[in-house]
Amino acid sequence: MLSKGLAYGWLAARRRIGEMILPVVTTATGAFLVVLVFGMQDGIRAQSASLGHADEIGRAVVLIAVTVLLVGVVEVAVATTRTVAHRTKELGVLGANGVPRTPVVAALLVEPLVAAVLGALVGAALAAVVVLGLGATGFVPTGVEVGGLLLGSGIALVVSIVAALVTSVVPTWTAASRPPIRSLSGGG
């Protein structure tokens, strides 16, 4: 039954792709910054060492990058809440037809997961292209490390997925727990 919920969620996410543009873009922006920071971390560390307090500056830069990524993921959560609010009658029909709560929650979590993954992948790919391109042309005076780019991409992807799921579970679980008659009658 869970696989049917995921399949239904995938179809709904494909149908609603236009509504996922803002969450994807904001997550991509955060992922771009995270990958950029990790790709240029050695250069940032070297430059901050000349200013003193290299470790503190390096940690602050990483913290700022992850914070921007989390802001993007919050947009995913807001979009999920908005989606759930627009789909109350659909949730009522599913509940009235006896669909258990778990597949309904799984179906509703597909959309934020897709938005988070797409945003993280687009942002990471764009950052890698930009950083490697600027590094190759000499416009970036700091060193660009491929290992740092890969680490940043992995961190951006994992943080995006975990944060999107964590922030989306409560509104989806609450909506799926609502009695079908309340959802069908338009009551919140």
PDB file of all heavy atoms in Angstrom, residues 118-160:
ATOM      1  N   LEU A 118      15.685  18.164  -6.297  1.00  0.00           N
ATOM      2  CA  LEU A 118      15.926  18.953  -7.515  1.00  0.00           C
ATOM      3  C   LEU A 118      16.707  20.224  -7.196  1.00  0.00           C
ATOM      4  O   LEU A 118      17.666  20.564  -7.898  1.00  0.00           O
ATOM      5  CB  LEU A 118      14.608  19.324  -8.185  1.00  0.00           C
ATOM      6  CG  LEU A 118      13.946  18.275  -9.051  1.00  0.00           C
ATOM      7  CD1 LEU A 118      12.594  18.773  -9.556  1.00  0.00           C
ATOM      8  CD2 LEU A 118      14.828  17.894 -10.212  1.00  0.00           C
ATOM      9  N   GLY A 119      16.288  20.923  -6.150  1.00  0.00           N
ATOM     10  CA  GLY A 119      16.983  22.160  -5.780  1.00  0.00           C
ATOM     11  C   GLY A 119      18.431  21.915  -5.419  1.00  0.00           C
ATOM     12  O   GLY A 119      19.331  22.637  -5.863  1.00  0.00           O
ATOM     13  N   ALA A 120      18.682  20.875  -4.620  1.00  0.00           N
ATOM     14  CA  ALA A 120      20.060  20.587  -4.210  1.00  0.00           C
ATOM     15  C   ALA A 120      20.918  20.186  -5.406  1.00  0.00           C
ATOM     16  O   ALA A 120      22.067  20.634  -5.539  1.00  0.00           O
ATOM     17  CB  ALA A 120      20.073  19.484  -3.154  1.00  0.00           C
ATOM     18  N   LEU A 121      20.374  19.364  -6.294  1.00  0.00           N
ATOM     19  CA  LEU A 121      21.153  18.927  -7.461  1.00  0.00           C
ATOM     20  C   LEU A 121      21.424  20.079  -8.431  1.00  0.00           C
ATOM     21  O   LEU A 121      22.540  20.218  -8.932  1.00  0.00           O
ATOM     22  CB  LEU A 121      20.439  17.783  -8.180  1.00  0.00           C
ATOM     23  CG  LEU A 121      20.365  16.459  -7.420  1.00  0.00           C
ATOM     24  CD1 LEU A 121      19.561  15.429  -8.204  1.00  0.00           C
ATOM     25  CD2 LEU A 121      21.758  15.933  -7.098  1.00  0.00           C
ATOM     26  N   VAL A 122      20.413  20.896  -8.689  1.00  0.00           N
ATOM     27  CA  VAL A 122      20.600  22.036  -9.598  1.00  0.00           C
ATOM     28  C   VAL A 122      21.615  23.023  -9.010  1.00  0.00           C
ATOM     29  O   VAL A 122      22.533  23.475  -9.704  1.00  0.00           O
ATOM     30  CB  VAL A 122      19.250  22.738  -9.883  1.00  0.00           C
ATOM     31  CG1 VAL A 122      19.446  24.086 -10.542  1.00  0.00           C
ATOM     32  CG2 VAL A 122      18.388  21.851 -10.757  1.00  0.00           C
ATOM     33  N   GLY A 123      21.460  23.345  -7.738  1.00  0.00           N
ATOM     34  CA  GLY A 123      22.392  24.279  -7.098  1.00  0.00           C
ATOM     35  C   GLY A 123      23.814  23.754  -7.058  1.00  0.00           C
ATOM     36  O   GLY A 123      24.770  24.485  -7.324  1.00  0.00           O
ATOM     37  N   ALA A 124      23.962  22.465  -6.738  1.00  0.00           N
ATOM     38  CA  ALA A 124      25.298  21.858  -6.673  1.00  0.00           C
ATOM     39  C   ALA A 124      25.951  21.824  -8.048  1.00  0.00           C
ATOM     40  O   ALA A 124      27.136  22.152  -8.199  1.00  0.00           O
ATOM     41  CB  ALA A 124      25.209  20.453  -6.086  1.00  0.00           C
ATOM     42  N   ALA A 125      25.185  21.449  -9.054  1.00  0.00           N
ATOM     43  CA  ALA A 125      25.741  21.384 -10.413  1.00  0.00           C
ATOM     44  C   ALA A 125      26.133  22.773 -10.904  1.00  0.00           C
ATOM     45  O   ALA A 125      27.211  22.952 -11.481  1.00  0.00           O
ATOM     46  CB  ALA A 125      24.726  20.752 -11.367  1.00  0.00           C
ATOM     47  N   LEU A 126      25.279  23.740 -10.672  1.00  0.00           N
ATOM     48  CA  LEU A 126      25.580  25.106 -11.093  1.00  0.00           C
ATOM     49  C   LEU A 126      26.811  25.646 -10.374  1.00  0.00           C
ATOM     50  O   LEU A 126      27.677  26.279 -10.998  1.00  0.00           O
ATOM     51  CB  LEU A 126      24.371  26.011 -10.848  1.00  0.00           C
ATOM     52  CG  LEU A 126      24.449  27.416 -11.410  1.00  0.00           C
ATOM     53  CD1 LEU A 126      24.646  27.396 -12.917  1.00  0.00           C
ATOM     54  CD2 LEU A 126      23.187  28.193 -11.049  1.00  0.00           C
ATOM     55  N   ALA A 127      26.915  25.381  -9.082  1.00  0.00           N
ATOM     56  CA  ALA A 127      28.082  25.843  -8.324  1.00  0.00           C
ATOM     57  C   ALA A 127      29.363  25.203  -8.841  1.00  0.00           C
ATOM     58  O   ALA A 127      30.385  25.876  -8.990  1.00  0.00           O
ATOM     59  CB  ALA A 127      27.905  25.535  -6.843  1.00  0.00           C
ATOM     60  N   ALA A 128      29.311  23.910  -9.104  1.00  0.00           N
ATOM     61  CA  ALA A 128      30.502  23.215  -9.604  1.00  0.00           C
ATOM     62  C   ALA A 128      30.932  23.789 -10.946  1.00  0.00           C
ATOM     63  O   ALA A 128      32.130  24.053 -11.156  1.00  0.00           O
ATOM     64  CB  ALA A 128      30.224  21.717  -9.727  1.00  0.00           C
ATOM     65  N   VAL A 129      29.993  24.026 -11.835  1.00  0.00           N
ATOM     66  CA  VAL A 129      30.321  24.585 -13.149  1.00  0.00           C
ATOM     67  C   VAL A 129      30.915  25.986 -13.002  1.00  0.00           C
ATOM     68  O   VAL A 129      31.942  26.310 -13.608  1.00  0.00           O
ATOM     69  CB  VAL A 129      29.070  24.599 -14.063  1.00  0.00           C
ATOM     70  CG1 VAL A 129      29.292  25.444 -15.299  1.00  0.00           C
ATOM     71  CG2 VAL A 129      28.689  23.185 -14.438  1.00  0.00           C
ATOM     72  N   VAL A 130      30.268  26.817 -12.180  1.00  0.00           N
ATOM     73  CA  VAL A 130      30.737  28.199 -12.009  1.00  0.00           C
ATOM     74  C   VAL A 130      32.108  28.239 -11.348  1.00  0.00           C
ATOM     75  O   VAL A 130      33.022  28.926 -11.827  1.00  0.00           O
ATOM     76  CB  VAL A 130      29.710  29.033 -11.197  1.00  0.00           C
ATOM     77  CG1 VAL A 130      30.290  30.355 -10.745  1.00  0.00           C
ATOM     78  CG2 VAL A 130      28.457  29.260 -12.020  1.00  0.00           C
ATOM     79  N   VAL A 131      32.277  27.488 -10.261  1.00  0.00           N
ATOM     80  CA  VAL A 131      33.548  27.523  -9.531  1.00  0.00           C
ATOM     81  C   VAL A 131      34.683  26.949 -10.369  1.00  0.00           C
ATOM     82  O   VAL A 131      35.771  27.526 -10.422  1.00  0.00           O
ATOM     83  CB  VAL A 131      33.418  26.788  -8.185  1.00  0.00           C
ATOM     84  CG1 VAL A 131      34.765  26.570  -7.532  1.00  0.00           C
ATOM     85  CG2 VAL A 131      32.526  27.570  -7.250  1.00  0.00           C
ATOM     86  N   LEU A 132      34.428  25.830 -11.023  1.00  0.00           N
ATOM     87  CA  LEU A 132      35.487  25.254 -11.856  1.00  0.00           C
ATOM     88  C   LEU A 132      35.792  26.160 -13.048  1.00  0.00           C
ATOM     89  O   LEU A 132      36.957  26.317 -13.433  1.00  0.00           O
ATOM     90  CB  LEU A 132      35.097  23.853 -12.326  1.00  0.00           C
ATOM     91  CG  LEU A 132      35.083  22.778 -11.232  1.00  0.00           C
ATOM     92  CD1 LEU A 132      34.522  21.469 -11.770  1.00  0.00           C
ATOM     93  CD2 LEU A 132      36.460  22.583 -10.633  1.00  0.00           C
ATOM     94  N   GLY A 133      34.758  26.757 -13.619  1.00  0.00           N
ATOM     95  CA  GLY A 133      34.976  27.683 -14.737  1.00  0.00           C
ATOM     96  C   GLY A 133      35.758  28.913 -14.317  1.00  0.00           C
ATOM     97  O   GLY A 133      36.704  29.327 -15.004  1.00  0.00           O
ATOM     98  N   LEU A 134      35.387  29.497 -13.177  1.00  0.00           N
ATOM     99  CA  LEU A 134      36.119  30.672 -12.695  1.00  0.00           C
ATOM    100  C   LEU A 134      37.534  30.308 -12.258  1.00  0.00           C
ATOM    101  O   LEU A 134      38.462  31.090 -12.454  1.00  0.00           O
ATOM    102  CB  LEU A 134      35.362  31.330 -11.530  1.00  0.00           C
ATOM    103  CG  LEU A 134      34.049  32.017 -11.891  1.00  0.00           C
ATOM    104  CD1 LEU A 134      33.354  32.514 -10.631  1.00  0.00           C
ATOM    105  CD2 LEU A 134      34.285  33.162 -12.861  1.00  0.00           C
ATOM    106  N   GLY A 135      37.685  29.117 -11.682  1.00  0.00           N
ATOM    107  CA  GLY A 135      39.025  28.674 -11.284  1.00  0.00           C
ATOM    108  C   GLY A 135      39.916  28.438 -12.485  1.00  0.00           C
ATOM    109  O   GLY A 135      41.106  28.769 -12.488  1.00  0.00           O
ATOM    110  N   ALA A 136      39.346  27.873 -13.543  1.00  0.00           N
ATOM    111  CA  ALA A 136      40.126  27.593 -14.752  1.00  0.00           C
ATOM    112  C   ALA A 136      40.540  28.868 -15.473  1.00  0.00           C
ATOM    113  O   ALA A 136      41.612  28.919 -16.080  1.00  0.00           O
ATOM    114  CB  ALA A 136      39.319  26.700 -15.695  1.00  0.00           C
ATOM    115  N   THR A 137      39.693  29.879 -15.393  1.00  0.00           N
ATOM    116  CA  THR A 137      40.021  31.140 -16.071  1.00  0.00           C
ATOM    117  C   THR A 137      40.886  32.058 -15.222  1.00  0.00           C
ATOM    118  O   THR A 137      41.377  33.062 -15.715  1.00  0.00           O
ATOM    119  CB  THR A 137      38.736  31.900 -16.462  1.00  0.00           C
ATOM    120  OG1 THR A 137      37.982  32.175 -15.282  1.00  0.00           O
ATOM    121  CG2 THR A 137      37.907  31.104 -17.448  1.00  0.00           C
ATOM    122  N   GLY A 138      41.048  31.713 -13.954  1.00  0.00           N
ATOM    123  CA  GLY A 138      41.883  32.527 -13.084  1.00  0.00           C
ATOM    124  C   GLY A 138      41.145  33.669 -12.398  1.00  0.00           C
ATOM    125  O   GLY A 138      41.765  34.491 -11.739  1.00  0.00           O
ATOM    126  N   PHE A 139      39.837  33.740 -12.557  1.00  0.00           N
ATOM    127  CA  PHE A 139      39.069  34.803 -11.913  1.00  0.00           C
ATOM    128  C   PHE A 139      38.916  34.599 -10.414  1.00  0.00           C
ATOM    129  O   PHE A 139      38.607  35.525  -9.690  1.00  0.00           O
ATOM    130  CB  PHE A 139      37.677  34.938 -12.542  1.00  0.00           C
ATOM    131  CG  PHE A 139      37.704  35.630 -13.870  1.00  0.00           C
ATOM    132  CD1 PHE A 139      37.250  34.977 -15.002  1.00  0.00           C
ATOM    133  CD2 PHE A 139      38.174  36.928 -13.993  1.00  0.00           C
ATOM    134  CE1 PHE A 139      37.277  35.597 -16.236  1.00  0.00           C
ATOM    135  CE2 PHE A 139      38.203  37.558 -15.219  1.00  0.00           C
ATOM    136  CZ  PHE A 139      37.752  36.900 -16.350  1.00  0.00           C
ATOM    137  N   VAL A 140      39.076  33.368  -9.958  1.00  0.00           N
ATOM    138  CA  VAL A 140      38.977  33.068  -8.540  1.00  0.00           C
ATOM    139  C   VAL A 140      40.387  32.895  -8.000  1.00  0.00           C
ATOM    140  O   VAL A 140      41.084  31.956  -8.369  1.00  0.00           O
ATOM    141  CB  VAL A 140      38.149  31.784  -8.303  1.00  0.00           C
ATOM    142  CG1 VAL A 140      38.084  31.455  -6.825  1.00  0.00           C
ATOM    143  CG2 VAL A 140      36.757  31.940  -8.879  1.00  0.00           C
ATOM    144  N   PRO A 141      40.816  33.807  -7.137  1.00  0.00           N
ATOM    145  CA  PRO A 141      42.183  33.720  -6.636  1.00  0.00           C
ATOM    146  C   PRO A 141      42.400  32.594  -5.633  1.00  0.00           C
ATOM    147  O   PRO A 141      43.519  32.251  -5.330  1.00  0.00           O
ATOM    148  CB  PRO A 141      42.417  35.079  -5.982  1.00  0.00           C
ATOM    149  CG  PRO A 141      41.066  35.569  -5.621  1.00  0.00           C
ATOM    150  CD  PRO A 141      40.131  34.994  -6.634  1.00  0.00           C
ATOM    151  N   THR A 142      41.316  32.024  -5.115  1.00  0.00           N
ATOM    152  CA  THR A 142      41.470  30.944  -4.144  1.00  0.00           C
ATOM    153  C   THR A 142      41.452  29.611  -4.869  1.00  0.00           C
ATOM    154  O   THR A 142      40.932  29.491  -5.971  1.00  0.00           O
ATOM    155  CB  THR A 142      40.311  30.966  -3.123  1.00  0.00           C
ATOM    156  OG1 THR A 142      39.088  30.818  -3.825  1.00  0.00           O
ATOM    157  CG2 THR A 142      40.299  32.251  -2.337  1.00  0.00           C
ATOM    158  N   GLY A 143      42.007  28.603  -4.237  1.00  0.00           N
ATOM    159  CA  GLY A 143      42.037  27.279  -4.837  1.00  0.00           C
ATOM    160  C   GLY A 143      40.672  26.620  -4.813  1.00  0.00           C
ATOM    161  O   GLY A 143      39.920  26.756  -3.868  1.00  0.00           O
ATOM    162  N   VAL A 144      40.370  25.913  -5.861  1.00  0.00           N
ATOM    163  CA  VAL A 144      39.119  25.165  -5.945  1.00  0.00           C
ATOM    164  C   VAL A 144      39.468  23.690  -5.862  1.00  0.00           C
ATOM    165  O   VAL A 144      40.235  23.185  -6.677  1.00  0.00           O
ATOM    166  CB  VAL A 144      38.375  25.480  -7.262  1.00  0.00           C
ATOM    167  CG1 VAL A 144      37.121  24.633  -7.374  1.00  0.00           C
ATOM    168  CG2 VAL A 144      38.060  26.949  -7.367  1.00  0.00           C
ATOM    169  N   GLU A 145      38.909  23.014  -4.876  1.00  0.00           N
ATOM    170  CA  GLU A 145      39.178  21.597  -4.678  1.00  0.00           C
ATOM    171  C   GLU A 145      37.969  20.777  -5.110  1.00  0.00           C
ATOM    172  O   GLU A 145      36.849  21.029  -4.660  1.00  0.00           O
ATOM    173  CB  GLU A 145      39.470  21.318  -3.199  1.00  0.00           C
ATOM    174  CG  GLU A 145      40.707  22.022  -2.678  1.00  0.00           C
ATOM    175  CD  GLU A 145      41.984  21.494  -3.298  1.00  0.00           C
ATOM    176  OE1 GLU A 145      42.052  20.274  -3.570  1.00  0.00           O
ATOM    177  OE2 GLU A 145      42.895  22.294  -3.527  1.00  0.00           O
ATOM    178  N   VAL A 146      38.198  19.804  -5.989  1.00  0.00           N
ATOM    179  CA  VAL A 146      37.110  18.940  -6.454  1.00  0.00           C
ATOM    180  C   VAL A 146      36.532  18.140  -5.284  1.00  0.00           C
ATOM    181  O   VAL A 146      35.319  17.946  -5.188  1.00  0.00           O
ATOM    182  CB  VAL A 146      37.593  18.011  -7.590  1.00  0.00           C
ATOM    183  CG1 VAL A 146      36.513  17.022  -7.977  1.00  0.00           C
ATOM    184  CG2 VAL A 146      38.023  18.832  -8.795  1.00  0.00           C
ATOM    185  N   GLY A 147      37.400  17.713  -4.383  1.00  0.00           N
ATOM    186  CA  GLY A 147      36.923  16.989  -3.198  1.00  0.00           C
ATOM    187  C   GLY A 147      35.988  17.845  -2.362  1.00  0.00           C
ATOM    188  O   GLY A 147      34.984  17.362  -1.839  1.00  0.00           O
ATOM    189  N   GLY A 148      36.305  19.125  -2.237  1.00  0.00           N
ATOM    190  CA  GLY A 148      35.436  20.042  -1.507  1.00  0.00           C
ATOM    191  C   GLY A 148      34.097  20.236  -2.214  1.00  0.00           C
ATOM    192  O   GLY A 148      33.052  20.346  -1.572  1.00  0.00           O
ATOM    193  N   LEU A 149      34.140  20.277  -3.554  1.00  0.00           N
ATOM    194  CA  LEU A 149      32.900  20.395  -4.317  1.00  0.00           C
ATOM    195  C   LEU A 149      32.017  19.165  -4.091  1.00  0.00           C
ATOM    196  O   LEU A 149      30.797  19.286  -3.916  1.00  0.00           O
ATOM    197  CB  LEU A 149      33.195  20.555  -5.808  1.00  0.00           C
ATOM    198  CG  LEU A 149      33.866  21.851  -6.245  1.00  0.00           C
ATOM    199  CD1 LEU A 149      34.203  21.801  -7.723  1.00  0.00           C
ATOM    200  CD2 LEU A 149      32.997  23.046  -5.927  1.00  0.00           C
ATOM    201  N   LEU A 150      32.622  17.990  -4.098  1.00  0.00           N
ATOM    202  CA  LEU A 150      31.860  16.760  -3.878  1.00  0.00           C
ATOM    203  C   LEU A 150      31.314  16.697  -2.458  1.00  0.00           C
ATOM    204  O   LEU A 150      30.156  16.314  -2.247  1.00  0.00           O
ATOM    205  CB  LEU A 150      32.724  15.533  -4.169  1.00  0.00           C
ATOM    206  CG  LEU A 150      33.142  15.355  -5.632  1.00  0.00           C
ATOM    207  CD1 LEU A 150      34.118  14.193  -5.769  1.00  0.00           C
ATOM    208  CD2 LEU A 150      31.914  15.157  -6.508  1.00  0.00           C
ATOM    209  N   LEU A 151      32.138  17.094  -1.485  1.00  0.00           N
ATOM    210  CA  LEU A 151      31.685  17.109  -0.093  1.00  0.00           C
ATOM    211  C   LEU A 151      30.528  18.096   0.078  1.00  0.00           C
ATOM    212  O   LEU A 151      29.508  17.781   0.692  1.00  0.00           O
ATOM    213  CB  LEU A 151      32.839  17.479   0.845  1.00  0.00           C
ATOM    214  CG  LEU A 151      32.484  17.619   2.325  1.00  0.00           C
ATOM    215  CD1 LEU A 151      32.024  16.275   2.882  1.00  0.00           C
ATOM    216  CD2 LEU A 151      33.672  18.159   3.104  1.00  0.00           C
ATOM    217  N   GLY A 152      30.677  19.286  -0.478  1.00  0.00           N
ATOM    218  CA  GLY A 152      29.614  20.287  -0.399  1.00  0.00           C
ATOM    219  C   GLY A 152      28.337  19.819  -1.075  1.00  0.00           C
ATOM    220  O   GLY A 152      27.235  20.048  -0.567  1.00  0.00           O
ATOM    221  N   SER A 153      28.475  19.138  -2.208  1.00  0.00           N
ATOM    222  CA  SER A 153      27.294  18.613  -2.909  1.00  0.00           C
ATOM    223  C   SER A 153      26.584  17.561  -2.065  1.00  0.00           C
ATOM    224  O   SER A 153      25.356  17.563  -1.962  1.00  0.00           O
ATOM    225  CB  SER A 153      27.703  17.998  -4.247  1.00  0.00           C
ATOM    226  OG  SER A 153      28.264  18.968  -5.089  1.00  0.00           O
ATOM    227  N   GLY A 154      27.358  16.688  -1.466  1.00  0.00           N
ATOM    228  CA  GLY A 154      26.769  15.664  -0.604  1.00  0.00           C
ATOM    229  C   GLY A 154      26.077  16.260   0.603  1.00  0.00           C
ATOM    230  O   GLY A 154      24.960  15.862   0.960  1.00  0.00           O
ATOM    231  N   ILE A 155      26.728  17.229   1.233  1.00  0.00           N
ATOM    232  CA  ILE A 155      26.126  17.895   2.394  1.00  0.00           C
ATOM    233  C   ILE A 155      24.853  18.624   1.990  1.00  0.00           C
ATOM    234  O   ILE A 155      23.834  18.544   2.683  1.00  0.00           O
ATOM    235  CB  ILE A 155      27.138  18.849   3.053  1.00  0.00           C
ATOM    236  CG1 ILE A 155      28.223  18.031   3.756  1.00  0.00           C
ATOM    237  CG2 ILE A 155      26.454  19.807   4.027  1.00  0.00           C
ATOM    238  CD1 ILE A 155      29.373  18.835   4.283  1.00  0.00           C
ATOM    239  N   ALA A 156      24.891  19.338   0.867  1.00  0.00           N
ATOM    240  CA  ALA A 156      23.707  20.064   0.407  1.00  0.00           C
ATOM    241  C   ALA A 156      22.549  19.108   0.144  1.00  0.00           C
ATOM    242  O   ALA A 156      21.407  19.378   0.525  1.00  0.00           O
ATOM    243  CB  ALA A 156      24.032  20.868  -0.849  1.00  0.00           C
ATOM    244  N   LEU A 157      22.826  17.978  -0.475  1.00  0.00           N
ATOM    245  CA  LEU A 157      21.775  17.017  -0.791  1.00  0.00           C
ATOM    246  C   LEU A 157      21.190  16.400   0.483  1.00  0.00           C
ATOM    247  O   LEU A 157      19.971  16.360   0.660  1.00  0.00           O
ATOM    248  CB  LEU A 157      22.324  15.925  -1.718  1.00  0.00           C
ATOM    249  CG  LEU A 157      21.310  14.933  -2.256  1.00  0.00           C
ATOM    250  CD1 LEU A 157      20.257  15.633  -3.096  1.00  0.00           C
ATOM    251  CD2 LEU A 157      22.014  13.869  -3.084  1.00  0.00           C
ATOM    252  N   VAL A 158      22.044  15.945   1.371  1.00  0.00           N
ATOM    253  CA  VAL A 158      21.574  15.297   2.601  1.00  0.00           C
ATOM    254  C   VAL A 158      20.808  16.290   3.484  1.00  0.00           C
ATOM    255  O   VAL A 158      19.711  15.979   3.975  1.00  0.00           O
ATOM    256  CB  VAL A 158      22.755  14.649   3.369  1.00  0.00           C
ATOM    257  CG1 VAL A 158      22.334  14.222   4.760  1.00  0.00           C
ATOM    258  CG2 VAL A 158      23.309  13.475   2.586  1.00  0.00           C
ATOM    259  N   VAL A 159      21.362  17.483   3.682  1.00  0.00           N
ATOM    260  CA  VAL A 159      20.698  18.477   4.528  1.00  0.00           C
ATOM    261  C   VAL A 159      19.350  18.866   3.915  1.00  0.00           C
ATOM    262  O   VAL A 159      18.351  19.002   4.628  1.00  0.00           O
ATOM    263  CB  VAL A 159      21.596  19.718   4.749  1.00  0.00           C
ATOM    264  CG1 VAL A 159      20.820  20.865   5.366  1.00  0.00           C
ATOM    265  CG2 VAL A 159      22.780  19.355   5.628  1.00  0.00           C
ATOM    266  N   SER A 160      19.297  19.026   2.608  1.00  0.00           N
ATOM    267  CA  SER A 160      18.039  19.390   1.948  1.00  0.00           C
ATOM    268  C   SER A 160      16.980  18.311   2.138  1.00  0.00           C
ATOM    269  O   SER A 160      15.830  18.610   2.469  1.00  0.00           O
ATOM    270  CB  SER A 160      18.267  19.622   0.455  1.00  0.00           C
ATOM    271  OG  SER A 160      19.088  20.730   0.248  1.00  0.00           O
TER     272      SER A 160
END
